[in-house]
Amino acid sequence: MTSGRILDRLDAMEKVEGSLPRLLEFYRKLIQIQTRVGRELNKPNPGLSAEAIHQRTAEGKALITASNFTYDLRLLQGTFRETAALFGEYADLFNSTSEEFSKLAETDLTPDSIEAWYNGEPLPYSGEVNQTLLKELIHAAIKPFLVSYTSVLIDSVEQERWRRGHCPICGGNPDFSFLEKENGARWLLCSRCDTEWLFQRLKCPYCDNTDQQTLSYYTSDEGMYRLYVCDNCKHYLKAIDLRNPGANALIPLERLLTLEIDAQARDYGYSPCE
Ligand SMILES: [Zn+2]
Ligand SMILES: [Zn+2]
């Protein structure tokens, strides 16, 4: 399991360095919560026949949407409170305060709010709620629930036929990518559920731009990383090139080990796709 390997890697890094940077310390605790909750979940049954999966793939529809995503609201609410407390301990990483997270932790999640989150719509809470942080908290709490669907459905994804800019399982946007070791094919990583899917090498997943005049990439000094940028939508996507002998294949962890590339992208005038 990837999360187990990530935890091992973080422990090894801590041994070598003496301590972990705060961000990685936070991340390790978050993965521990998500892994534990993941173990408590029953295997979901999405009720999709092979024919339905084939049909959805042809139509570019993700396999799980807000309408067939089922979850235990009580467990989700409990996970949400626990992650909010963790975020509160590391509030400085999010330019916030522990008080703000304590307030957010009291939010009552409802089927409506989960549906709005799922669809990327404004959350149905009025007042001075910080929507960005609340979405981030829901994301952290809901992840093990989404991942349980991924583990059931990943083998049914028709990779060669999908090749869309959004996740074939949950419909989320990619926030990282990698070039395959064997043939350099590009795979995207879902920001919500960590599903990996095959995508074109020179196409923007955010706006479907294929005009080579407005697409480019920068390569890091050692050739290990790439920064793909699109001048049509002004979004960027990071990648690790697994053909590089030094590249480590713990892809979800690479998101956090490459924050200097995010800074570089912002300097160049590009933003991440939310
Ligand atoms: Zn996904
Ligand atoms: Zn674009």
Side-chain angles (χ1 to χ4, degrees):
M1 227 174 106
T2 316
S3 55
R5 280 166 50 224
I6 290 177
L7 290 171
D8 289 347
R9 173 92 192 280
L10 289 171
D11 290 346
M13 282 168 74
E14 184 179 41
K15 232 177 195 162
V16 173
E17 310 284 335
S19 66
L20 283 178
R22 269 175 72 71
L23 177 66
L24 294 183
E25 216 179 81
F26 161 79
Y27 182 57
R28 179 165 63 185
K29 289 182 183 169
L30 181 59
I31 296 185
Q32 284 165 342
I33 296 175
Q34 291 169 336
T35 307
R36 196 198 67 231
V37 172
R39 283 201 205 102
E40 288 174 40
L41 297 174
N42 296 321
K43 222 175 176 180
N45 178 7
L48 292 165
S49 64
E51 197 186 330
I53 290 174
H54 198 71
Q55 177 78 23
R56 294 186 83 84
T57 303
E59 292 168 358
K61 286 187 188 147
L63 298 180
I64 302 301
T65 61
S67 48
N68 63 347
F69 174 55
T70 56
Y71 52 90
D72 176 338
L73 183 59
R74 244 174 59 123
L75 182 58
L76 179 58
Q77 179 80 62
T79 310
F80 172 82
R81 288 215 182 92
E82 194 177 356
T83 49
L86 173 64
F87 275 69
E89 271 179 60
Y90 292 86
D92 54 299
L93 295 174
F94 306 93
N95 294 319
S96 178
T97 58
S98 51
E99 291 75 30
E100 182 161 39
F101 281 111
S102 313
K103 225 171 77 191
L104 287 167
E106 288 163 22
T107 310
D108 270 327
L109 299 181
T110 62
D112 281 349
S113 61
I114 297 306
E115 185 174 341
W117 178 87
Y118 204 104
N119 294 332
E121 292 157 2
L123 303 175
Y125 299 103
S126 52
E128 286 168 23
V129 174
N130 184 326
Q131 289 263 339
T132 309
L133 286 182
L134 187 51
K135 281 182 180 171
E136 197 148 348
L137 285 178
I138 294 179
H139 181 183
I142 216 169
K143 186 162 182 178
F145 295 81
L146 288 176
V147 168
S148 69
Y149 279 93
T150 303
S151 52
V152 166
L153 287 167
I154 188 65
D155 292 337
S156 320
V157 172
E158 300 175 47
Q159 294 286 358
E160 285 295 343
R161 287 181 68 233
W162 178 255
R163 291 176 169 265
R164 309 266 178 168
H166 54 280
C167 173
I169 292 181
C170 82
N173 280 325
D175 69 345
F176 203 84
S177 62
F178 67 91
L179 303 181
E180 206 179 311
K181 195 179 186 105
E182 288 67 33
N183 54 15
R186 186 166 67 151
W187 290 71
L188 308 184
L189 179 71
C190 179
S191 58
R192 307 208 299 195
C193 74
D194 286 350
T195 289
E196 297 168 353
W197 74 98
L198 189 59
F199 195 67
Q200 293 75 327
R201 277 277 284 275
L202 287 167
K203 181 176 182 177
C204 173
Y206 304 120
C207 72
D208 286 339
N209 180 17
T210 51
D211 172 17
Q212 305 304 309
Q213 303 294 322
T214 50
L215 291 169
S216 51
Y217 65 83
Y218 302 88
T219 311
S220 65
D221 293 341
E222 336 75 63
M224 183 115 79
Y225 297 103
R226 286 187 182 188
L227 168 62
Y228 288 93
V229 297
C230 172
D231 280 315
N232 184 49
C233 68
K234 288 294 196 182
H235 288 313
Y236 72 88
L237 181 66
K238 300 186 286 186
I240 184 167
D241 189 344
L242 297 182
R243 294 171 299 181
N244 191 299
N248 195 298
L250 287 176
I251 310 296
L253 178 60
E254 286 295 336
R255 282 187 185 114
L256 299 184
L257 299 180
T258 52
L259 296 185
E260 73 283 1
I261 303 180
D262 295 271
Q264 186 189 15
R266 279 194 299 273
D267 279 353
Y268 294 161
Y270 300 96
S271 63
C273 184
E274 298 306 333

